[in-house]
Amino acid sequence: MSPGNVTPDRLIDFVYDEAATLDEMRWEDWLALFHDDGRYWMPLEWQQEDPLLQPSLMYEDRLLLTVRVERLSGERTFSQKPKSRCHHLLERPRVISDGTEDGVCRLRTSFLYTETRGDLLDRYSGWVSHELVEVDGNLKIMLKRVDLINFDAPFGNIQLFI
Amino acid sequence: MERYRGRPDAIAGLVQGHRVHRDVYIDKEIFDLELEHLFPNSWIYVGHASQLKKPGDFITCRIGKQPILASRHRDGTIHVFYNRCPHKGVKIASEPCGNTGKFFRCPYHAWSFKTDGSLLAIPLKKGYENTGFDNDQAARGLTPVKNVKIYRDFIFARLADEGLSFEDFFADSLSTIDNMIDRSPTGELEIVGAPIRYMHTCNWKMLVENQTDTCHPMVAHESSAGTAIKVWEREQERTGATEKPMAVQLYAPFMSSYEFFEQSGIRIWPNGHGHTGVSGSIHQDYDDLDGYFSMMVEAYGEERAKAILSDNRHNTVYFPNIMVKGSVAILRNFIPVAVDRTLVESWVYRLVGAPDKMYERALMYNRFINAPTSIVGHDDLEMYERAQEGLTSDGNEWVNIQRLYEAGEAEDVTEVINGTSERQMRNQFYAWRKFMIQDMPQNVEAAE
């Protein structure tokens, strides 16, 4: 059955709002959007199915995401001197599933992501897939999956979150 | 004006035992000479036989600046070629890997070659009748790399006609590759996934040196490994969790003390090879996973299994440009692109016959440490980039690698030393000097 008040607009707003927490560097707010068992996944292969037994660029739970967030503001985090900033340009998210079947709402969103640090600026594009569930009336991220179009290219540092 | 070409004395003078001149990292002419001399004179990693399972399978790579192609022929043999058509020089294979079927076909004029490199067919062949074509190098098909060695499925090649044999070049250092292979209960490794690729805007040697630099982890990686420990300790207090997650087991040892690294030791071998973690390493306290140890005992007997698994070497540098880490079955290939640009490809081997969980841990290690999204990688790359820029400063033209230096220390020897020594870096530079100038004529001035 469809979770309580889940409407397409609410799901779509969630995806935009999540990107806003990153663009505004509100890292703690961003972490809070994840379910306790949520994961952030960045595959390394085309249409990858297994995050653990196929190589991934990232597959992280809340503990590991917390490490990243705390590191960003660390006194001795030299790769953040100067600090990075990011910008998410999102196409309107497509609602793939509203959760009626299994309680998991799925969206897919095309993006252009820009990360900058000092005089450097890097751009990435691809698709982000969200799997959201409702917990106590709030939407939470079970899985955020980032598929880059050029997942197999050699990048320099990607220090923030796409 | 060329400062180094034709001047082996000047090149040799850049390495002075306890210090090396900055030009080895920032001078474009030196970089070009490395690609023309150092890499062809050395045995370079091409790939792993498991990437060439079926006839027609091929992989491509570069040795120095030269494109290389390796293929599996229908009789099971592996062949390594210069990746260019003998006709107009077009690269025969442009992808990192694939299967070409029964033959390679040049996309420009459809010259075709068997997977052993021999010329198969040329369209309108009669146009070459009575031209003396059969006497031209082109008639012999793809030019093979003459010196190829496949050591327990690891494919290496040396482009120069003359030089040290594979056995003399690597000698006892092969024990690390042996140990990595022995960690499979069936004695077999395979590559089943893509490498993690990471572009570094620094000279390739900075990366190689860092592999045996044991005085940087607790400093440079305080931000990543130190934070991981902090977050985990807080998590333990919050939840009462006791079982250390795999992720924390991998991160935490990066914060080991100077004393730990001192006692772990470094072993150096001739020709620039060497490894950290002789009597223990940051990999020694990982959990046994899903009955892996029992499988090893089953396969090798208890004594031998324990011997294999207690040899937890940290990083083994195979000079000039790969690092092998047996405990998690990873090979990192530091591929020079420009004087200030290095492509790092980090491969994970699956231990055939071992539990999936072992491969899962190796893949986790690889993305934690060797990925463009890796916080440990971010720590390191920041240091390399700052060095690449800092070295252009005229305030000091030398890089100091003097830790535990002894004047007149022997070159090309096997020794075990204090694990915080910079001896392995010096070992690499002694080899660098040797293989750079080995095939150079005497100084032009001296000859005149």
Side-chain angles (χ1 to χ4, degrees):
Chain A
M1 63 176 234
S2 173
N5 308 316
V6 172
T7 61
D9 277 351
R10 190 174 158 218
L11 293 171
I12 290 166
D13 284 348
F14 181 92
V15 172
Y16 285 128
D17 290 344
E18 189 238 347
T21 61
L22 294 170
D23 289 355
E24 293 161 16
M25 297 197 275
R26 292 186 283 115
W27 309 122
E28 298 293 338
D29 291 348
W30 179 68
L31 274 180
L33 296 176
F34 279 80
H35 188 277
D36 281 346
D37 298 319
R39 296 285 189 281
Y40 181 103
W41 181 21
M42 202 190 266
L44 187 64
E45 296 190 7
W46 177 245
Q47 298 183 338
Q48 187 170 333
E49 288 173 6
D50 190 325
L52 294 173
L53 291 175
Q54 287 177 278
S56 300
L57 285 165
M58 279 175 72
Y59 185 67
E60 309 219 332
D61 58 13
R62 279 191 68 155
L63 184 83
L64 291 170
L65 293 174
T66 304
V67 172
R68 283 181 186 269
V69 161
E70 292 202 8
R71 178 184 174 278
L72 286 175
S73 55
E75 181 56 33
R76 289 180 175 164
T77 303
F78 302 106
S79 77
Q80 282 299 298
K81 297 178 182 209
K83 287 205 179 301
S84 303
R85 289 190 299 274
C86 68
H87 176 252
H88 292 73
L89 183 63
L90 304 181
E91 194 179 69
R92 185 174 187 271
R94 278 197 302 138
V95 179
I96 307 293
S97 141
D98 66 0
T100 311
E101 266 177 42
D102 56 1
V104 182
C105 310
R106 295 176 174 82
L107 295 95
R108 189 168 158 92
T109 310
S110 222
F111 69 82
L112 255 181
Y113 172 79
T114 308
E115 190 171 301
T116 177
R117 179 173 172 247
D119 297 341
L120 299 176
L121 182 144
D122 291 304
R123 260 201 191 116
Y124 305 87
S125 58
W127 305 267
V128 55
S129 305
H130 284 83
E131 291 187 10
L132 308 175
V133 294
E134 199 172 33
V135 180
D136 300 333
N138 296 311
L139 287 170
K140 295 284 179 185
I141 300 172
M142 282 306 292
L143 181 68
K144 178 176 177 178
R145 169 179 173 147
V146 177
D147 285 277
L148 296 172
I149 49 165
N150 57 343
F151 51 89
D152 52 356
F155 308 116
N157 283 348
I158 303 175
Q159 296 206 58
L160 302 181
F161 305 94
I162 297 181
Chain B
M1 187 187 123
E2 291 180 333
R3 292 187 295 158
Y4 295 111
R5 188 173 294 280
R7 299 184 60 201
D9 286 357
I11 295 168
L14 298 172
V15 177
Q16 297 188 357
H18 69 289
R19 63 179 194 171
V20 291
H21 192 270
R22 64 174 177 180
D23 281 0
V24 304
Y25 305 101
I26 64 171
D27 187 88
K28 189 172 174 311
E29 196 184 349
I30 286 289
F31 178 78
D32 290 341
L33 291 166
E34 286 178 335
L35 299 195
E36 293 167 33
H37 296 274
L38 175 72
F39 280 83
N41 285 337
S42 304
W43 285 88
I44 303 297
Y45 179 69
V46 171
H48 191 259
S50 65
Q51 296 169 275
L52 304 169
K53 276 205 163 76
K54 301 185 299 292
D57 282 352
F58 69 86
I59 52 174
T60 61
C61 71
R62 272 204 333 246
I63 297 180
K65 55 184 167 190
Q66 308 187 48
I68 299 293
L69 164 65
S71 68
R72 175 82 74 174
H73 191 47
R74 62 166 184 247
D75 65 0
T77 52
I78 286 173
H79 298 260
V80 183
F81 314 105
Y82 294 86
N83 185 5
R84 60 149 287 176
C85 182
H87 180 206
K88 303 288 286 253
V90 170
K91 267 169 69 177
I92 291 294
S94 60
E95 294 164 285
C97 62
N99 185 289
T100 191
K102 288 196 166 62
F103 56 88
F104 291 106
R105 181 178 183 272
C106 179
Y108 199 2
H109 302 94
W111 287 33
S112 58
F113 311 90
K114 294 181 195 165
T115 45
D116 65 357
S118 57
L119 185 62
L120 178 63
I122 297 177
L124 288 173
K125 185 81 188 281
K126 64 177 189 297
Y128 292 99
E129 280 170 16
N130 304 317
T131 64
F133 177 75
D134 289 347
N135 297 323
D136 191 85
Q137 189 179 351
R140 295 198 288 277
L142 300 176
T143 306
V145 173
K146 282 187 206 151
N147 298 293
V148 174
K149 173 74 183 184
I150 301 168
Y151 179 80
R152 300 188 72 181
D153 284 348
F154 285 74
I155 309 166
F156 287 86
R158 192 194 72 217
L159 297 188
D161 285 349
E162 305 292 327
L164 287 183
S165 70
F166 176 86
E167 289 74 15
D168 288 343
F169 186 78
F170 286 123
D172 290 343
S173 73
L174 292 170
S175 53
T176 292
I177 288 179
D178 287 338
N179 177 262
M180 177 160 74
I181 298 168
D182 292 346
R183 285 168 178 264
S184 150
T186 62
E188 204 183 338
L189 304 178
E190 63 173 351
I191 283 177
V192 292
I196 288 181
R197 308 176 78 214
Y198 190 178
M199 190 60 84
H200 282 59
T201 43
C202 68
N203 187 268
W204 64 277
K205 293 186 294 302
M206 290 183 187
L207 279 141
V208 182
E209 277 168 49
N210 192 58
Q211 305 308 306
T212 62
D213 182 328
T214 57
C215 288
H216 87 282
M218 66 295 280
V219 182
H221 300 308
E222 184 184 338
S223 91
S224 47
T227 305
I229 292 171
K230 220 167 59 192
V231 170
W232 164 238
E233 285 173 352
R234 212 172 54 221
E235 182 72 4
Q236 279 179 299
E237 275 174 36
R238 192 175 68 85
T239 65
T242 50
E243 208 173 311
K244 208 187 256 188
M246 186 190 277
V248 178
Q249 287 183 33
L250 299 183
Y251 272 132
F254 278 75
M255 291 305 287
S256 300
S257 65
Y258 289 117
E259 292 72 25
F260 175 86
F261 286 109
E262 279 189 313
Q263 286 157 19
S264 304
I266 285 178
R267 180 182 284 121
I268 58 165
W269 289 294
N271 301 319
H273 320 299
H275 77 94
T276 45
V278 178
S279 59
S281 78
I282 65 166
H283 305 302
Q284 69 190 8
D285 292 326
Y286 296 164
D287 281 349
D288 181 38
L289 296 175
D290 288 355
Y292 168 65
F293 179 66
S294 315
M295 287 175 170
M296 288 292 285
V297 170
E298 180 91 0
Y300 293 97
E302 186 164 342
E303 194 182 339
R304 174 90 181 106
K306 278 185 173 161
I308 294 167
L309 297 177
S310 60
D311 193 356
N312 285 305
R313 298 177 185 188
H314 182 181
N315 291 339
T316 299
V317 169
Y318 285 94
F319 185 84
N321 70 324
I322 61 169
M323 183 279 281
V324 170
K325 196 187 260 304
S327 311
V328 281
I330 285 173
L331 181 147
R332 300 185 75 197
N333 194 357
F334 307 107
I335 303 166
V337 177
V339 66
D340 56 357
R341 207 167 163 79
T342 306
L343 168 61
V344 186
E345 290 189 344
S346 300
W347 297 85
V348 178
Y349 302 95
R350 197 176 74 84
L351 308 178
V352 176
D356 281 347
K357 210 74 180 165
M358 294 293 289
Y359 187 51
E360 182 183 324
R361 178 163 67 195
L363 290 172
M364 180 187 261
Y365 187 93
N366 206 29
R367 66 174 179 268
F368 276 7
I369 313 301
N370 302 329
T373 40
S374 149
I375 52 180
V376 170
H378 298 159
D379 293 336
D380 281 327
L381 179 51
E382 177 69 12
M383 298 307 124
Y384 308 143
E385 285 178 340
R386 289 190 191 199
Q388 195 70 36
E389 194 180 347
L391 284 174
T392 61
S393 148
D394 289 335
N396 179 355
E397 295 189 359
W398 296 88
V399 167
N400 183 286
I401 47 172
Q402 201 161 7
R403 172 169 282 280
L404 297 173
Y405 174 73
E406 289 172 33
E409 67 188 8
E411 299 179 22
D412 274 341
V413 292
T414 299
E415 263 181 48
V416 173
I417 45 183
N418 181 307
T420 58
S421 173
E422 288 172 340
R423 180 86 183 266
Q424 171 53 22
M425 300 177 202
R426 299 192 288 275
N427 192 35
Q428 284 158 206
F429 276 108
Y430 299 142
W432 182 88
R433 185 175 58 195
K434 179 164 83 172
F435 293 108
M436 273 291 269
I437 64 180
Q438 186 181 64
D439 60 338
M440 287 182 186
Q442 290 304 302
N443 277 7
V444 175
E445 294 93 326
E448 278 167 356

